[in-house]
């Protein structure tokens, strides 16, 4: 995402407010969530309310956000993905974090204790404190100063449900100190919401359904920006593969969700799911959307570009990883070992290097 687009996004950041982003569609939200630019806010993509009360909408968002943070643990305590912390270590680190960053102590301690003990959070804080604490911890986890809750919803909701949803998003904006963006067609009967245009220039993909819960039934109700250096909390498959790799010493040099550093600077920006730099091995974990024609074509073009830079690209479906993550991990072990051996075999010996230097 270029600097001009980022500037447009920054101009529409108004923490505590709900805005209608007139030119934002589900496609644009998908692309923003997939970005890893540190200049962008953290994007939370809510897949839309249905016929429910305001309280149930806010509870759904906060519960889903809590689960995202549990999946990101212990990275927000400055730990490595897959690192094991006992409860005392996690609570001590959480206290230090709250003291240093001014976060809501009760919320952060509750999450740290639950994550380390693999138990359910107690949720003893008032909803207002919970909203402030969870959103603050998201900002810290991503090292970004702003959060945008982007909302796509069916335009066919009843008037009462649209009013309830609007009240819920206004509450979340105020108490979470975030900006809420409604897509152009979300909650159309609510006319008190200011309109902004972002000028992103993203158009809907052919054949894609409008935003809303029905159009994304295979996705979690709340997605979050792709994290740098950690498996995506939106992806059960990435989480399962990380759990399998964390137990294996040979996998320690893995890097999640990064851009390879040695690509042509004029080439389109590429973020890969999993990378071993030394062996030049890239692993992509593909959801069902990668079977879509435009996504398939984009993947092939990306793979070709990466292969020209001597990367090996391995693609696994979500189903393959979730069915047997250990089998996938074992295959990766064998491939990495073979790549390392091949690189060693082709590396010049000291004598060869000296001979080449003499000839030069």
């Amino acid at each position: 995402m270029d600097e001009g687009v980022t500037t447009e996004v920054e101009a529409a950041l108004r923490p505590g407010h709900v805005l209608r982003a007139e030119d934002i569609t589900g496609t644009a939200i998908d692309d923003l969530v997939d970005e890893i630019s540190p200049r962008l806010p953290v994007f939370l993509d809510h897949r839309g309310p249905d016929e429910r009360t305001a309280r149930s909408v806010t509870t759904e968002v906060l519960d889903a956000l809590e689960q995202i943070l549990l999946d990101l643990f212990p990275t927000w305590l400055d730990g490595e993905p897959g690192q094991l912390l006992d409860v005392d270590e996690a609570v001590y680190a959480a206290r230090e974090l709250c003291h240093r960053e001014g976060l809501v102590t009760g919320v952060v301690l509750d999450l740290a204790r639950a994550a380390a003990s693999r138990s359910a959070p107690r949720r003893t804080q008032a909803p207002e404190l919970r909203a402030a604490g969870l959103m603050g911890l998201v900002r810290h986890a991503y090292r970004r100063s702003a959060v945008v809750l982007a909302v796509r919803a069916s335009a066919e909701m009843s008037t009462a449900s649209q009013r309830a949803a609007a009240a819920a998003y206004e509450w979340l904006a105020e108490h979470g100190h975030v900006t809420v963006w409604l897509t152009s067609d979300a909650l159309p009967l609510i006319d008190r919401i200011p309109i902004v245009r972002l000028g992103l220039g993203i158009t809907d993909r052919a054949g894609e359904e409008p935003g809303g819960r029905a159009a994304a039934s295979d996705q979690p109700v709340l997605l979050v920006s792709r994290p740098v250096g950690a498996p995506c909390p939106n992806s059960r498959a990435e989480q399962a593969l990380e759990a399998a790799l964390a137990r294996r010493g040979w996998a320690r040099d893995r890097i999640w969700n990064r851009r390879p550093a040695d690509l042509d600077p004029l080439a389109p920006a590429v973020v890969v799911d999993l990378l071993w730099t030394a062996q030049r091995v890239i692993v992509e974990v593909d959801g069902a959307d990668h079977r879509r024609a435009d996504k398939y074509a984009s993947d092939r073009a990306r793979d070709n570009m990466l292969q020209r830079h001597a990367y090996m690209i391995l693609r696994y479906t979500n189903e393959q990883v979730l069915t047997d993550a250990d089998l996938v991990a074992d295959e990766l072990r064998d491939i990495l070992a073979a790549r390392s051996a091949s690189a060693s075999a082709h590396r010049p010996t000291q004598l060869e290097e000296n001979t080449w230097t003499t000839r030069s």
Side-chain angles (χ1 to χ4, degrees), residues 1-228:
M1 184 159 294
D2 61 38
E3 185 173 335
V5 169
T6 306
T7 301
E8 294 288 353
V9 170
E10 290 172 342
L13 294 180
R14 302 177 196 171
H17 292 80
V18 179
L19 308 173
R20 184 179 303 284
E22 194 173 48
D23 54 347
I24 280 285
T25 63
T27 300
I29 294 174
D30 290 339
D31 291 342
L32 288 168
V33 167
D34 202 45
E35 270 289 340
I36 63 169
S37 169
R39 294 193 62 229
L40 286 171
V42 183
F43 282 96
L44 297 169
D45 172 14
H46 190 215
R47 294 282 167 150
D50 48 25
E51 305 290 325
R52 290 175 296 147
T53 64
R55 180 181 292 275
S56 66
V57 174
T58 57
T59 299
E60 175 180 81
V61 171
L62 295 180
D63 287 354
L65 183 55
E66 184 178 78
Q67 185 58 54
I68 284 169
L69 287 164
L70 290 172
D71 289 337
L72 285 171
F73 179 85
T75 57
W76 42 266
L77 286 180
D78 299 325
E80 296 295 324
Q83 180 182 352
L84 297 178
L85 297 176
D86 65 31
V87 174
D88 289 341
E89 290 173 327
V91 169
Y92 177 81
R95 287 189 188 278
E96 292 292 307
L97 171 64
C98 293
H99 177 74
R100 187 172 66 248
E101 303 293 336
L103 300 175
V104 180
T105 303
V107 172
V108 178
L109 290 182
D110 186 30
L111 277 181
R113 187 178 292 108
S117 64
R118 293 177 174 78
S119 60
R122 297 174 183 172
R123 299 175 182 169
T124 57
Q125 300 292 319
E128 293 81 2
L129 282 177
R130 191 174 175 224
L134 293 175
M135 293 297 184
L137 190 52
V138 166
R139 283 187 282 269
H140 168 75
Y142 281 81
R143 308 307 195 263
R144 301 185 195 178
S145 59
V147 175
V148 168
L149 176 60
V151 178
R152 51 178 113 191
S154 170
E156 305 302 318
M157 291 166 55
S158 69
T159 302
S161 292
Q162 290 193 39
R163 288 173 179 165
Y169 294 123
E170 288 166 343
W171 186 94
L172 287 164
E174 177 184 357
H175 295 289
H177 197 61
V178 301
T179 308
V180 176
W181 289 352
L182 303 182
T183 57
S184 55
D185 59 345
L187 313 185
L189 300 178
I190 309 301
D191 57 9
R192 65 176 180 272
I193 298 172
I195 295 174
V196 296
R197 291 189 63 84
L198 299 177
L200 296 182
I202 301 173
T203 57
D204 280 334
R205 289 181 268 265
E208 186 166 281
E209 296 182 55
R213 188 178 298 274
S217 58
D218 62 334
Q219 292 279 10
V221 296
L222 188 72
L223 305 183
V224 68
S225 292
R226 187 195 292 231
V228 178

